[in-house]
Amino acid sequence: MPTPLSDRLTCVGVLSGTLSGLFVALPALVEVFTGETATTSFFLALAPALSLPLLAALHQRQSAAGGRFGETAYVISLIGLGLFGGAAFASNLVLFYFDDAVVEKALTGPTVPAFLGSAAVFAVSCALFGAALVRARVFPRVPSWAYATVLPLFAFLTGLPDSALTSALHLAVGTTLIWLASALWQPAGKTTPRAAARSSLPGPG
């Protein structure tokens, strides 16, 4: 019997979300002792792309309870994650290997506004999708609130020099992604009573 598409997406979301969280958190732990390296930069560059299936699985699971706001937040999150993922890939796998003089020259053109714009869209999209997670009450509240508050901060502060703050942010983001991914293992029917009641109400308009 073929596996339903929703089940396959859940499995892929759990796997990719867990890997994404590990690819964010573990390099931060390593860089505390070694500083930024080619290996840690490689994993950090891939983390945003791996979180895309997680985002899709989360939205699918809560779509009934999320309503139109959830759908809008999901679409904006896809755009924000795509932009931020491209910026992270370029920063960690392209600019990382350039000489300081080349990087400084590149950052005097449109690169900086492009990076800042990507971070801004990503921050807004995380706040919106996190709010959708909180409103739907399908997933645990702690990682839902963390998605709405920690990830927007991460969008801007991740570009700062390595410090205890940036390491803590990486760990918090990684933990949030892994927590939400693991929550997908809960059967779809076991939503909170309020989320189930909300899903049965007609949407606006």
Side-chain angles (χ1 to χ4, degrees):
M1 182 176 180
T3 303
L5 178 60
S6 60
D7 292 342
R8 292 200 298 269
L9 181 57
T10 296
C11 292
V12 173
V14 171
L15 176 60
S16 65
T18 301
L19 287 176
S20 179
L22 291 174
F23 283 9
V24 172
L26 293 182
L29 289 175
V30 173
E31 289 179 355
V32 170
F33 304 99
T34 65
E36 188 176 11
T37 67
T39 302
T40 57
S41 293
F42 173 79
F43 287 112
L44 287 170
L46 297 182
L50 287 172
S51 63
L52 281 168
L54 172 63
L55 183 66
L58 293 173
H59 172 65
Q60 178 187 255
R61 175 64 62 84
Q62 71 169 21
S63 58
R68 292 183 179 177
F69 177 80
E71 292 178 357
T72 302
Y74 172 62
V75 172
I76 297 175
S77 290
L78 287 176
I79 297 172
L81 188 55
L83 291 171
F84 185 75
F89 191 90
S91 177
N92 287 288
L93 285 182
V94 179
L95 296 179
F96 176 80
Y97 293 98
F98 289 169
D99 294 333
D100 291 342
V102 177
V103 173
E104 184 177 353
K105 183 177 180 180
L107 296 181
T108 58
T111 307
V112 171
F115 278 175
L116 291 177
S118 299
V121 175
F122 178 68
V124 171
S125 70
C126 289
L128 289 174
F129 192 75
L133 291 171
V134 173
R135 291 180 71 220
R137 296 194 176 186
V138 173
F139 295 98
R141 294 181 62 83
V142 172
S144 297
W145 275 105
Y147 198 103
T149 56
V150 176
L151 266 69
L153 290 176
F154 178 75
F156 291 101
L157 299 183
T158 188
L160 296 177
D162 293 339
S163 65
L165 175 60
T166 57
S167 296
L169 274 175
H170 279 79
L171 290 174
V173 170
T175 301
T176 298
L177 297 177
I178 295 172
W179 194 339
L180 288 172
S182 65
L184 284 168
W185 281 128
Q186 179 179 341
K190 293 184 178 181
T191 57
T192 61
R194 183 165 180 174
R198 180 175 297 180
S199 65
S200 66
L201 296 176

